[in-house]
Amino acid sequence: MSGTAPHLEVGLDEDAQLTCVGVRIGGWERLSTPQRIRARVESVEGMRRFGGGAVGLVFASGEVLVFVLRADPAEAAVALLDVLRRHEPGRRGTRVAVTGGSAGPRSGAEAVAESIRMLRGGNRRDHEAAFTFLLSDLLHWHVRDASPMPRFQRVRGEAFGPDRWVWPADAPPASARRVGRAPVRPRRGLPLTRARDHAAAMAELRRILRVRPGPEPLFALGECHLRLGERRAAVETWRYLLRRYPLTLAAYPLMDLEELDDVARAYLSDGLRIVRARPALAAQPERFEHDLLLALATRAYRRGRQRAGDRLVNEAAGVYPAGAAPLRVLAVEAVRRGDREGARRLLDAALARAPDRRSRGGRGRSSPLGKSEET
């Protein structure tokens, strides 16, 4: 496994989910070469017996192995931990990290890289335990209430990269209570971001982040980058925000600014799952879900997947029937196919839905996805 992220081709539909399981073999430095080979073979055999999904790829470098499974990440994480608790790994101090992503080549490679990042670091407790199980923040949120899951402890700090959750947990139960955080709403950044001098606002936001890290100043920092025309910096800021605070729902639609299709779709799909599970995180959950569905539909049409695009548009119309945006998306797709007459009829129907228009002038309205909906 080289220092560059691998290009994944796992033979899956691009919308399918995959699970990456990283394993760091305990006591590696004390093993002879034959013992190291045997330890690797045992890890591979154990993963194949796990039964949580077919192993598509295996990457190995020293004591680290990463398995790419054709499985849903949440289901695989619950089943894998259950198996490990009943049949402990043979090497004490083994670390197991689980992440998930879509089957796209870029997002799949990022899931592999994240599982490796989680294996870094460690402490004395890791060597005392038979094994340590690590989950990414978003994946832990998906599985935390599953009945077989024990109590995990959050691990924070720059030394560990993005926040993650660890089992066994050292802290007493009281410290593991989930503390509610006021949701960050779209288009409600800090007042500083409305100042003319966005560069000065950015300097102030960075000062705030050094003193009091949190999702609100990170969200506002991305807005400053975008208003200064620094689109790539804005997207990277919001991606960092979502790695640290994956329940910051307002940032998920902004990932539609990402040009890489499989990466953007992975974020949009995550946002869709979260708003459906926790609608209270959004000011207008139906409208929010509607906008995410249309963003996914637009990307499906661009890839020539008309049936998938039609299905997503129909879902969006069902979630928020009063909106005219589905008709505009269909009109753009009709133009792409060369059906100008059909596009004209769709636009006429969209214009008839006046309540969905914020302005009656000739300018397109700004959508929550940060793009003009002008056709």
Side-chain angles (χ1 to χ4, degrees):
M1 184 162 51
S2 66
T4 58
H7 182 85
L8 293 182
E9 295 290 350
V10 294
L12 288 172
D13 181 86
E14 61 185 0
D15 292 323
Q17 291 288 296
L18 57 82
T19 302
C20 292
V21 180
V23 177
R24 189 168 189 170
I25 299 170
W28 180 263
E29 65 283 353
R30 298 189 299 274
L31 301 179
S32 65
T33 298
Q35 288 173 325
R36 289 179 176 184
I37 294 171
R38 171 49 53 189
R40 277 189 175 183
V41 171
E42 289 172 353
S43 295
V44 173
E45 290 176 347
M47 189 57 60
R48 286 180 175 156
R49 288 195 302 267
F50 153 56
V55 176
L57 291 170
V58 181
F59 300 102
S61 177
E63 73 271 36
V64 174
L65 291 87
V66 179
F67 302 88
V68 181
L69 310 178
R70 297 167 181 165
D72 176 82
E75 294 175 2
V78 173
L80 178 58
L81 180 58
D82 185 54
V83 169
L84 289 172
R85 292 171 73 193
R86 287 187 284 111
H87 308 285
E88 295 178 352
R91 307 285 173 182
R92 292 188 68 81
T94 294
R95 292 165 66 82
V96 180
V98 185
T99 58
S102 72
R106 174 69 181 266
S107 53
E110 288 190 339
V112 170
E114 177 62 15
S115 68
I116 296 169
R117 280 195 292 269
M118 285 202 294
L119 294 174
R120 292 177 181 168
N123 52 40
R124 189 174 59 85
R125 173 65 176 166
D126 291 345
H127 299 291
E128 294 173 355
F131 69 96
T132 301
F133 198 83
L134 296 150
L135 292 175
S136 62
D137 205 8
L138 181 58
L139 185 53
H140 177 264
W141 180 78
H142 281 299
V143 304
R144 63 186 177 179
D145 296 324
S147 56
M149 297 298 282
R151 178 178 55 83
F152 276 62
Q153 178 184 349
R154 187 178 223 134
V155 180
R156 300 176 181 268
E158 291 300 326
F160 292 92
D163 292 351
R164 70 210 49 194
W165 293 79
V166 61
W167 183 87
D170 289 328
S175 67
R177 291 173 186 163
R178 293 186 290 272
V179 179
R181 181 185 290 275
V184 180
R185 305 296 191 191
R187 302 302 167 198
R188 287 183 59 187
L190 299 181
L192 258 167
T193 64
R194 293 193 290 269
R196 280 189 171 184
D197 189 354
H198 297 301
M202 287 171 64
E204 177 64 14
L205 287 166
R206 289 193 177 101
R207 185 193 66 77
I208 292 171
L209 285 166
R210 285 194 295 270
V211 177
R212 181 177 55 82
E216 292 85 0
L218 273 171
F219 188 88
L221 183 63
E223 286 192 317
C224 284
H225 279 299
L226 191 62
R227 293 177 186 183
L228 287 169
E230 299 167 357
R231 179 185 174 116
R232 173 58 54 195
V235 170
E236 290 301 324
T237 300
W238 288 322
R239 287 179 69 180
Y240 176 80
L241 163 63
L242 289 175
R243 287 197 300 270
R244 285 281 184 177
Y245 307 99
L247 296 188
T248 308
L249 200 58
Y252 284 96
L254 299 169
M255 292 300 99
D256 198 37
L257 295 168
E258 170 68 70
E259 297 88 353
L260 293 164
D261 191 62
D262 62 299
V263 175
R265 284 187 294 108
Y267 279 109
L268 293 169
S269 298
D270 278 340
L272 193 60
R273 284 192 287 271
I274 292 172
V275 75
R276 285 172 170 172
R278 293 277 294 276
L281 290 174
Q284 295 179 287
E286 294 84 5
R287 185 61 183 265
F288 198 86
E289 183 179 349
H290 162 274
D291 290 336
L292 289 171
L293 285 165
L294 289 183
L296 287 166
T298 299
R299 286 184 173 269
Y301 284 136
R302 288 176 190 163
R303 303 193 310 277
R305 304 188 65 200
Q306 185 173 347
R307 184 173 296 179
D310 290 345
R311 175 180 57 79
L312 290 162
V313 167
N314 287 334
E315 280 190 59
V319 168
Y320 187 72
L327 296 171
R328 291 196 285 272
V329 171
L330 290 173
V332 172
E333 172 58 10
V335 170
R336 190 187 69 81
R337 297 197 313 266
D339 182 9
R340 293 190 170 274
E341 180 59 27
R344 186 187 63 77
R345 290 196 297 270
L346 287 163
L347 284 176
D348 286 344
L351 290 169
R353 295 195 178 189
D356 187 53
R357 297 167 64 199
R358 295 183 183 178
S359 171
R360 299 189 180 269
R363 299 169 64 186
R365 71 178 178 88
S366 174
S367 78
L369 301 180
K371 297 180 179 180
S372 171
E373 291 189 358
E374 210 171 13
T375 50

